[in-house]
Amino acid sequence: TLSATCILLQEMGNPLLVPKFASIGLAAHSQLFHMAEKNFSSHLPLVHIHTDGKTIPQIGEIPARVSFSDNGTNHSVDFLRSPFTLTARIQVRGNSSSKWAKKQYDLELVDPRDPRRDAPTALLGLPAHHHWVLSAPYSDRSLFRNAFAFELARKLTDAQGASWYAPRTKPLELFLNGK
């Protein structure tokens, strides 16, 4: 399956710009979830992305519906009980990494009433933003090299005591179109 342990959700915010929260409208979509996902469980948050069967391009974006679960049990069946969906645009991220078996994705959350409008949203305990990266460290066998480097960078300070900016990350399990 495409389920990929330790895909990292990465914020792409500018530390000097604080994004405003936008109402994005949540909608129930229990029909989104493939029957094979019902028995899947993990200690990591689950993310389901649905593109209505369209192939995600490297150049240009396509519409997608994205659902997140980080409720403690993280069983796919929980999506069937209380599902919600965010509207997004998605594309494959990276040039050389786009040829790897595990793809990386750029994900932009948009307002479902106006897909041209960004919809900054706090996800899985990370601050609100509209642009997210699903980073798949395919060549990193440890599965945490980038997350560790970002964490270390955030702990460093310059001579004036100011800390360095580095994206925050969260590991997760990803399902794409029910697989």
Side-chain angles (χ1 to χ4, degrees):
T1 77
L2 183 63
S3 172
T5 300
C6 226
I7 286 197
L8 296 173
L9 178 68
Q10 224 171 271
E11 64 166 339
M12 293 305 294
N14 181 329
L16 303 175
L17 301 174
V18 178
K20 291 169 141 182
F21 179 77
S23 170
I24 54 173
L26 301 176
H29 287 290
S30 60
Q31 70 274 15
L32 292 177
F33 307 103
H34 192 272
M35 299 302 282
E37 298 173 15
K38 284 186 180 179
N39 296 322
F40 184 85
S41 66
S42 173
H43 66 285
L44 298 175
L46 305 180
V47 176
H48 296 255
I49 297 176
H50 290 271
T51 64
D52 294 324
K54 294 178 186 163
T55 301
I56 300 172
Q58 185 172 354
I59 298 174
E61 301 169 324
I62 62 168
R65 296 170 301 199
V66 185
S67 299
F68 294 84
S69 173
D70 190 19
N71 62 7
T73 62
N74 296 337
H75 295 281
S76 282
V77 73
D78 293 333
F79 281 108
L80 300 175
R81 288 192 201 117
S82 59
F84 67 90
T85 301
L86 304 176
T87 304
R89 294 185 304 255
I90 190 169
Q91 72 179 26
V92 172
R93 176 182 171 84
N95 192 13
S96 59
S97 64
S98 68
K99 294 162 185 58
W100 295 345
K102 191 191 310 183
K103 306 283 187 237
Q104 302 186 88
Y105 300 103
D106 273 330
L107 190 68
E108 292 200 35
L109 301 178
V110 296
D111 186 325
R113 296 172 301 265
D114 183 1
R116 296 168 298 181
R117 238 179 90 208
D118 295 334
T121 306
L123 300 175
L124 304 175
L126 298 175
H129 204 272
H130 72 279
H131 185 190
W132 297 89
V133 170
L134 294 168
S135 175
Y138 185 72
S139 64
D140 175 11
R141 299 296 178 223
S142 69
L143 299 177
F144 73 88
R145 189 171 38 202
N146 282 350
F148 176 73
F150 292 150
E151 181 66 24
L152 184 60
R154 283 192 298 280
K155 293 186 183 300
L156 297 175
T157 57
D158 62 16
Q160 289 78 34
S163 61
W164 296 92
Y165 171 75
R168 286 160 279 207
T169 61
K170 187 87 168 190
L172 54 87
E173 298 276 4
L174 175 66
F175 289 90
L176 180 58
N177 290 322
K179 298 178 183 167

